[in-house]
């Protein structure tokens, strides 16, 4: 299975249109190389960094930022940045585990 299959699974599960995805170099603002991806709001682009340790988890994580924007939660969540990242990561891990379970 590919990351595109994972994205299809996520879109079907959450009943949302497919966002754009893009593989990118490390962003200039990521001095430590910690970022596995990032989400570009309003244009709905999930950017996954080349060489990230777990691209599937990064895809799931950024997908949940996309969902938050679609639900109208983006501005509220940006105000609570740390809580936002923890919640997004928790949902990403859950969805990735569910997807991997379907593959077995």
């Amino acid at each position: 299975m590919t990351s595109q299959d994972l994205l299809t699974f996520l879109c079907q599960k959450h009943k949302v249109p497919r966002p754009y995805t893009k593989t990118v170099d490390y962003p200039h603002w990521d001095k430590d190389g910690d970022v596995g991806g990032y989400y570009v709001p309003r244009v709905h682009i999930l950017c996954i960094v080349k060489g990230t340790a777990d691209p599937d988890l990064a895809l799931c994580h950024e997908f949940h930022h996309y969902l938050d924007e679609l639900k109208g939660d983006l501005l509220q969540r940006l105000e609570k940045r740390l809580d936002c990242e923890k919640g997004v990561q928790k949902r990403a891990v859950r969805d990735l585990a569910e997807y991997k379970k379907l593959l077995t």
Side-chain angles (χ1 to χ4, degrees):
M1 293 286 186
T2 66
S3 61
Q4 292 305 311
D5 295 329
L6 174 56
L7 187 57
T8 298
F9 164 78
L10 292 168
C11 291
Q12 289 174 348
K13 176 182 178 181
H14 295 283
K15 297 178 176 96
V16 296
R18 186 181 195 89
Y20 295 104
T21 59
K22 185 176 176 180
T23 303
V24 298
D25 292 321
Y26 278 98
H28 66 358
W29 41 264
D30 181 24
K31 303 293 183 207
D32 299 326
D34 294 338
V35 172
Y38 56 92
Y39 174 64
V40 182
R42 296 190 183 108
V43 291
H44 310 304
I45 300 175
L46 311 179
C47 298
I48 308 305
V49 175
K50 294 176 193 171
T52 192
D54 193 342
D56 288 342
L57 184 56
L59 177 71
C60 288
H61 182 100
E62 301 314 324
F63 181 84
H64 279 281
H65 283 298
Y66 165 65
L67 280 181
D68 286 348
E69 181 181 20
L70 291 181
K71 292 189 304 184
D73 293 345
L74 183 64
L75 291 177
Q76 180 182 11
R77 294 211 177 252
L78 287 176
E79 292 173 0
K80 300 176 182 177
R81 192 73 180 148
L82 291 178
D83 288 340
C84 169
E85 289 302 316
K86 288 177 186 175
V88 164
Q89 186 69 7
K90 183 177 178 181
R91 291 181 282 151
V93 167
R94 180 200 63 217
D95 277 353
L96 184 56
E98 184 178 331
Y99 174 73
K100 287 181 176 181
K101 189 174 181 180
L102 288 174
L103 297 179
T104 59

